Amino acid sequence: MTTAVNTYKFVKEDTGRWYIDLPDWQGVKADLEMVEGADTMLDHVGEGSKIVELILAEEPFGGSSELQLIEDYKDHVGGGIYLLKEYEGQIVNQQMWLCDVTKFVFGKLPPFIYFKKQ
C-alpha cells in the first residue's frame, strides 16, 4: 500500500502571520491563516524562515512527525485540536487548532497527520 503524500507551502507575511498557500482555495484568505498554535509550530519547524514547505500524509512515512487529533470541533467552530508530541526527537507537546481547511486538503479531518519539512 502506498501513502498519498503532498507538499504544501506555508508563508509568513511581513505582518508575522502564517498562511497556507492553496491556489485552488475558493474561500477568503483569512480562512488560510495558521492560528492557535499552528503558527507557533511553523515558527519552530521553520527555524526563522518565512517559507516552510511541508510534506503531508495520512500515514507515516520516513522521517515524519505525527499530529494526533485529540478533540474534534465539528459541533463548534469546525476543525479540531491536534497534538504534536515530539518533533525531530524532542518532546514539544504542542497543541494546535487546525480549521476546516484541513478537510479541503485531506477530504476529511484525519485522526493523524504526518508531516516532514521538505
Side-chain angles (χ1 to χ4, degrees):
M1 181 172 98
T2 54
T3 297
V5 295
N6 291 295
T7 301
Y8 293 91
K9 181 167 62 171
F10 298 82
V11 178
K12 186 174 189 176
E13 295 188 345
D14 291 339
T15 60
R17 296 175 180 215
W18 283 100
Y19 293 88
I20 185 170
D21 181 20
L22 290 177
D24 294 336
W25 180 251
Q26 298 295 310
V28 297
K29 179 181 177 181
D31 291 343
L32 303 177
E33 185 176 359
M34 306 301 289
V35 297
E36 300 292 327
D39 50 347
T40 304
M41 184 270 294
L42 286 166
D43 281 334
H44 181 75
V45 171
E47 302 175 295
S49 177
K50 290 192 174 202
I51 296 177
V52 174
E53 291 190 3
L54 297 179
I55 303 166
L56 303 177
E58 291 183 60
E59 299 290 332
F61 60 93
S64 64
S65 295
E66 177 186 275
L67 293 171
Q68 179 181 5
L69 180 65
I70 58 173
E71 191 169 352
D72 190 330
Y73 278 8
K74 69 180 176 211
D75 296 330
H76 306 290
V77 295
I81 300 292
Y82 282 82
L83 174 64
L84 174 63
K85 291 180 185 175
E86 65 176 67
Y87 178 72
E88 294 187 339
Q90 294 181 322
I91 302 295
V92 291
N93 285 323
Q94 171 73 44
Q95 289 188 21
M96 64 196 77
W97 173 58
L98 298 182
C99 68
D100 273 344
V101 172
T102 306
K103 290 182 182 177
F104 179 82
V105 170
F106 289 99
K108 62 182 176 184
L109 201 62
F112 295 94
I113 298 172
Y114 297 88
F115 74 95
K116 180 180 176 182
K117 185 176 166 185
Q118 173 122 334

